[in-house]
Amino acid sequence: MKRKREKETKELAKKRKRNKKELTFLGRIIFVFDRISENIRNSSPVKTKIAKERALIKARCGSDEGYANYAIKLRLLCLIICVMLILTASLGLIFSAGRLGVDDIYYMAKDIGYMNSYSEGGADTLNYTKTQTNADFALYKRGLAVASNSEIKLFNATGRVTLTSGDIYSTPVIATSNKYVMVYDLGAGRFSVYNSFKKLHSFTYDGSIAYASMSNDGAFAVVEKSQDYNSVVHIYDNDCKEINTYSCNEYVIAAEMSDNGKFVAVVAATANNGSMITEITFLKQNKDEIYAQITVNGITPYMCKFISDRRVAVFCSDRVRIYSVKGEMISEFMYPESKLSYISYTDGAVSLMFEDDLLNEKNTLVVINKKGKVIHNGGISGAYTDMQMHGENVFLLTNNGIIKYNYKTKISVFKEIKDSYGQLLVCDKNRVLLCTDSRGIYIDIE
């Protein structure tokens, strides 16, 4: 009898071991949680607590034993999750002790508070000092960054001013990420990096800054016209530390960083015997060597933008080309004879507006996806002062309102606005922020 029992025990142990091996990753997590909860339930203090909880639940709900067990397991699960969250946060603070200060924790807590207040409802209008000339605007953490030649001001989505800086830039340009705001003085040699509440770093170059861009995580690239080279591209990580440079004798028109921060596309050009020679270079953020490089004759580029993490659009005077980060040309679209009036881009596509007939307000809207395929090429009437893109919607600013045009369904929605002028920023598919010279206005277009 004893041998039979031992044999059954061994077979059961083997079965449990085999079942454990066959568990998926999620199944193993559940198995571990079940064992932890079983050990907790079997401890003396917890047993007493469980008995009290069960007695309380029975008193309230009758003799429903199943409900009591379910409630206790749920309480235990909540307890385990809370402990794991505290443990994770503690480990994060320990391993980041060298990079986190009291100020960082304070600002993080303030950021969380502002995000909570956003859920309660945001502001309709953001008021700032009236800008005269050379002002720039950009979205930042659901709020707004404003840089003029008199001040820097940051708003959160509830309309609160989180930062006001007296830094003065003659020609301010903003680049933003999910982490930082960068403001640089175009044609001068300095720039600063801010979070929602204070200025973190200031940098000064001997040469002048021609361009800068940021990834979503806060890494950035800055183009300097130096004395030794025509251009130097400085690449910084998301801790604002310079980790790489790329120098060239050509004039760098743009150095665009991908949203994930892994690649930098550098477009440079030089004239040789009356012909334009363009060099397109792809760099990895933390690698010294060139990832890919191509030389193209006969095109005149003036900007480039990543439209996915591995695809970049190079806009030229007579065409737009889509390249992969390996230097392969995916497609080329030649502009018609009409004047190119607006360019916009989003994750996965670019849009081009061509002015066919100014007097009769006739235009052509072209949309090209990241695969290089033209997915919209049709006429659209109206006089427009700005164009922005979000997903499959193109937002067009007119003299008396805003049009949301879905290029897939070809359905337009018009929102009439008094004093419709300024710079258009798109928050999401149904909301835009119109930045005038003295205030930003949130406008919903369903």
Side-chain angles (χ1 to χ4, degrees):
M1 189 71 180
K2 186 177 179 182
R3 289 182 180 179
K4 186 178 180 181
R5 194 177 299 121
E6 287 177 354
K7 187 177 179 182
E8 288 176 353
T9 304
K10 286 181 180 180
E11 286 178 356
L12 183 61
K14 286 181 181 180
K15 188 177 180 181
R16 283 180 177 175
K17 191 175 181 180
R18 186 170 61 252
N19 290 341
K20 187 177 178 182
K21 286 182 179 179
E22 291 172 357
L23 283 174
T24 62
F25 178 72
L26 181 60
R28 292 190 179 194
I29 292 174
I30 294 170
F31 176 80
V32 171
F33 268 107
D34 190 53
R35 293 298 298 272
I36 292 172
S37 63
E38 186 179 346
N39 290 335
I40 292 173
R41 284 199 306 271
N42 290 334
S43 65
S44 181
V46 176
K47 268 186 175 182
T48 307
K49 178 71 174 174
I50 289 173
K52 288 181 179 179
E53 292 286 347
R54 185 176 280 112
L56 181 62
I57 291 170
K58 283 182 177 180
R60 288 179 178 176
C61 304
S63 57
D64 193 341
E65 188 74 18
Y67 178 77
N69 289 330
Y70 174 78
I72 291 165
K73 286 181 179 179
L74 190 61
R75 292 261 182 116
L76 283 170
L77 181 61
C78 291
L79 175 63
I80 292 168
I81 291 172
C82 289
V83 170
M84 290 185 69
L85 284 173
I86 293 168
L87 182 62
T88 303
S90 302
L91 289 173
L93 290 172
I94 291 168
F95 287 113
S96 304
R99 294 161 51 183
L100 281 178
V102 176
D103 284 349
D104 297 301
I105 298 170
Y106 171 69
Y107 293 135
M108 181 175 67
K110 286 187 74 174
D111 243 351
I112 293 168
Y114 283 138
M115 287 300 102
N116 288 338
S117 62
Y118 173 79
S119 63
E120 298 170 4
D124 294 325
T125 304
L126 309 175
N127 296 304
Y128 41 82
T129 304
K130 188 171 183 178
T131 59
Q132 302 298 326
T133 55
N134 299 333
D136 197 19
F137 307 91
L139 294 174
Y140 176 57
K141 292 185 177 180
R142 298 177 177 174
L144 176 66
V146 182
S148 67
N149 46 20
S150 61
E151 66 177 3
I152 310 296
K153 188 165 280 190
L154 303 183
F155 297 84
N156 67 9
T158 66
R160 298 179 186 175
V161 177
T162 62
L163 179 141
T164 300
S165 171
D167 294 342
I168 297 174
Y169 298 87
S170 300
T171 310
V173 182
I174 300 176
T176 62
S177 68
N178 295 333
K179 191 173 183 181
Y180 301 130
V181 173
M182 177 205 295
V183 182
Y184 65 95
D185 210 346
L186 185 64
R190 68 189 184 94
F191 70 94
S192 296
V193 178
Y194 307 81
N195 67 10
S196 298
F197 310 102
K198 72 171 185 177
K199 179 164 67 175
L200 301 174
H201 302 281
S202 286
F203 300 85
T204 303
Y205 295 148
D206 294 331
S208 59
I209 298 173
Y211 195 88
S213 64
M214 263 190 159
S215 67
N216 283 338
D217 71 347
F220 55 93
V222 183
V223 179
E224 176 198 8
K225 294 181 185 176
S226 72
Q227 296 175 351
D228 298 327
Y229 294 90
N230 281 339
S231 300
V232 177
V233 180
H234 303 268
I235 300 173
Y236 296 79
D237 64 13
N238 57 9
D239 289 323
C240 300
K241 295 178 182 176
E242 188 170 355
I243 56 173
N244 199 1
T245 58
Y246 172 73
S247 305
C248 64
N249 290 316
E250 294 79 17
Y251 175 71
V252 172
I253 295 163
E256 194 68 23
M257 184 166 275
S258 61
D259 283 345
N260 63 7
K262 291 183 178 180
F263 293 98
V264 180
V266 180
V267 178
T270 187
N272 185 17
N273 296 325
S275 177
M276 186 68 72
I277 300 174
T278 300
E279 192 174 79
I280 303 172
T281 306
F282 294 94
L283 309 169
K284 276 200 167 183
Q285 182 200 123
N286 55 354
K287 301 287 184 181
D288 291 333
E289 69 270 11
I290 292 171
Y291 186 73
Q293 189 175 65
I294 55 172
T295 302
V296 185
N297 295 320
I299 65 171
T300 307
Y302 56 85
M303 67 179 289
C304 75
K305 292 292 176 183
F306 272 93
I307 56 174
S308 74
D309 289 333
R310 301 184 69 87
R311 296 285 169 90
V312 65
V314 179
F315 299 92
C316 308
S317 58
D318 62 345
R319 71 195 78 187
V320 58
R321 286 182 170 181
I322 310 293
Y323 287 94
S324 74
V325 293
K326 294 181 179 180
E328 304 164 339
M329 189 178 78
I330 306 301
S331 73
E332 178 181 68
F333 177 80
M334 300 296 297
Y335 301 159
E337 295 181 359
S338 307
K339 175 189 173 184
L340 177 63
S341 53
Y342 294 104
I343 291 173
S344 185
Y345 46 88
T346 187
D347 185 25
V350 299
S351 60
L352 310 165
M353 177 77 79
F354 297 96
E355 192 178 87
D356 299 328
D357 188 339
L358 177 61
L359 185 62
N360 295 310
E361 299 181 350
K362 291 184 177 179
N363 310 279
T364 298
L365 177 65
V366 177
V367 181
I368 305 168
N369 66 14
K370 65 182 180 181
K371 296 179 180 179
K373 182 180 178 182
V374 177
I375 54 179
H376 184 281
N377 189 348
I380 184 167
S381 300
Y384 307 111
T385 57
D386 198 4
M387 179 180 81
Q388 296 297 328
M389 193 176 186
H390 186 280
E392 58 190 42
N393 294 309
V394 177
F395 294 84
L396 303 161
L397 182 64
T398 72
N399 291 325
N400 60 349
I402 298 173
I403 296 172
K404 182 175 77 170
Y405 176 72
N406 188 303
Y407 62 79
K408 287 188 176 180
T409 62
K410 299 183 179 180
I411 295 174
S412 297
V413 180
F414 176 73
K415 181 87 170 187
E416 186 176 0
I417 302 167
K418 187 180 179 182
D419 299 328
S420 178
Y421 68 94
Q423 184 177 334
L424 199 60
L425 303 174
V426 182
C427 305
D428 57 45
K429 64 179 182 179
N430 294 320
R431 186 170 235 218
V432 299
L433 178 58
L434 180 61
C435 299
T436 69
D437 58 356
S438 61
R439 61 179 182 165
I441 309 165
Y442 284 105
I443 300 161
D444 294 317
I445 310 173
E446 297 297 334

